[in-house]
Amino acid sequence: MSDARAVVSARGLVKRYKGMCALDGVDLEIHAGEIVVIVGPSGSGKSTLIRCLNGLETIDAGSIRIDGREIPSQAREEWRLARQRIGMVFQDYSLFPHFTVLRNITLAPIRAGRLSPEEADKTARRLLERVGLGGYANAYPAELSGGQQQRVAIVRALAMAPEVMLFDEPTSALDPEMIREVLDVMRQLSSAGMTMAIVTHEMGFAREVADRIVFIDRGRIVETGAPEQFLRSPRSPRLQEFLAKIL
Amino acid sequence: MAAPGSGAPEFAMNYNFSFAYIGDSLPALFAGLVMTVQVSLLSIVCAAAIGVVGASIRIFDVPVLSQIVRFYVHVIRTTPILAQLYFIFYGLPSLGMTLSLYWSGVLCLVLWGGAYNIENVRGGFLAVSKGLRMAADSLGLERAQYLQFVALPLGLRVSTPAMLNTSVSVLKNSSYLTTIGLVELTFVAMERSAMDFRTLENFASICVLYLALVWTLSYFVRQIEDHLHKPFRDGR
Ligand SMILES: Nc1ncnc2c1ncn2[C@@H]1O[C@H](COP(=O)(O)OP(=O)(O)OP(=O)(O)O)[C@@H](O)[C@H]1O
Ligand SMILES: [Mg+2]
C-alpha cells in the first residue's frame, strides 16, 4: 500500500450531521512534500474534510491515518498529540485576542514541552521576521490588519514545526492586497517543501503551487488531477460548471 | 394625627430615634458584622470555585459528572434557600451527617451560590467563540490548558457582572442563617430588638452595614474586572 508514504490519508470517510451527509465516502492521501488544493462549492464539505483530517471532528465511518497509523475518533489523547504535528490555519485567523502576537505563537510550543520559553521566543521572532512582521511581536491581534493576523496565525502553526499544514480558506476573509501577503507566505512554505492541504478559491495560486487539485461536491470527491489538466480539461460536468462560475 | 385615647391607631411620629442606643450597640453589631463577613467571604470564594469547576465539567460534557452538575443546579435553582438550609441543618443529621451551625451555614451558601455561578461561568465559556476552542485543539493544547489560557481569561470577563450579582446575593442570603441561630448581623439585630424594643435603630444599623458591605464587595470585583480587561487594548 502506498499508505506508508502518506503523511495524512483518509479512507471511506463518512461524516453526518443529524442525518445530513457532509462527507460521503471520501478517499484522500497527502504525501510528504505534496501540495493538495481542495476546491468545491459552498457547503460541499471542504471544511468538514479538513477538520476530519486532524481529528477535530468525530467521523461516522471510514478511517484516518497519520504517518500510516490509524487513529480512531475516540482516541482523544492520541489525536491531541497528532495535532501537535499538524498545523492548521482557519479562515477567521482565530488568534487568542487577549494574548500578544508573541504569546499567541509561543503558547503551544512551550506548553507542549517542545521548546523552552527562550527558544520559543527566538523561534517566534525569527518566523515573524520571515513573514514580514518583525516589529509586531508585542502587538495584540486587534491592532493588526486581517492579512497580518492571518500571517501570525500561520506562524503560530509553524512554531510547532508541523509535518503538514492544513489551510481552510485562509484568504477568503481578506481584501485583495492582503490576500497577496498571505499567499506569498504560503508560496514560501511551498518552496521550502512543506506538505500542505489547502482549501481555497484562488485558482491562480492553486495552478501555481498545487501538485494536485481535488474537486469535492456534495460530500464526494468528484474529480482530481494535476492543475493543468484539471483546469484546462475538466471531465465531469459539475466541475466544468463550477470552474465556469469561479474563473 | 390621632388624638390620644380616641381608639384610632396611634402613629409613632413621636418615636425618638436614639443614636446613643446605636452607639451602645456597636460592639454587638461589630461581632455580628465579623461573622457575616467571614461566612459570606468564605462562601463567595468557594461558590466561585464551584462555578468554575462545574461549568468546566458542563462545557467539556464530562460523562456522568455533567449530568450530576445539571441535576444539582436544577435542584438549587428550583427550591427555596430556606428549605435548603433546613435540609442541611435539620435533615442531614438524620442521615448521619451532623455539621456545626457555622459549617451548615457555609455549606448552604456555597451550594446556593455555586449553582448560580455554574450557570454564570458557563455563560462566559459559551461566549468564547467555537473557533478559539478549535484553534486551541488544533495546536494540541490539553483541555486544562485551553481552560487556563483561553476559556477562563476570556469567559470570566463576560461572567464577572453576573458573578458579582450572585456574590451580592450570597452576602444578603447570609441573613437567613439567623433562622438556625448563627450569630451574624441579622441575628444581633433581632436579638437586641427583642430585648430593647429598639427595632428601628437595630434594623436601620444593619441595613447601613449591609449596604456598606455590598459597596465594598462591588468595589473589589470592579478592581478584578479592570485587571482582567487590561490586555484588551482595542476595546474588544
Ligand atoms: N457543525 C455543524 N453542524 C451541522 N451541520 C454542519 C456543521 N458543519 C457543517 N455542516 C453542514 O455540512 C455541510 C458541509 O459543510 P462545510 O462547512 O464542510 O462546507 P464547505 O465546503 O466548507 O462550505 P464553505 O465553502 O461555505 O465553507 C454543509 O451542508 C453544512 O451545513
Ligand atoms: Mg468551509
Side-chain angles (χ1 to χ4, degrees), chain A residues 76 80 83-84 98 142-143, chain B residues 137 140 143 149 233-234:
Chain A
R76 264 201 16 230
R80 186 181 71 78
R83 278 188 222 110
Q84 295 183 342
H98 57 308
E143 297 167 339
Chain B
D137 279 341
R143 279 175 166 187
F149 297 111
R233 274 195 223 150
D234 205 341

Side-chain angles (χ1 to χ4, degrees), chain B residues 50-98:
Chain B
I50 288 194
V52 169
V53 173
S56 307
I57 289 171
R58 287 278 271 118
I59 58 152
F60 287 126
D61 212 357
V62 181
V64 189
L65 285 182
S66 190
Q67 276 74 45
I68 293 174
V69 169
R70 265 174 90 144
F71 178 73
Y72 151 62
V73 170
H74 186 71
V75 167
I76 296 289
R77 299 219 299 178
T78 50
T79 56
I81 188 167
L82 213 48
Q84 297 162 15
L85 178 62
Y86 288 0
F87 179 85
I88 291 168
F89 190 64
Y90 298 113
L92 285 187
S94 322
L95 300 173
M97 212 179 122
T98 308

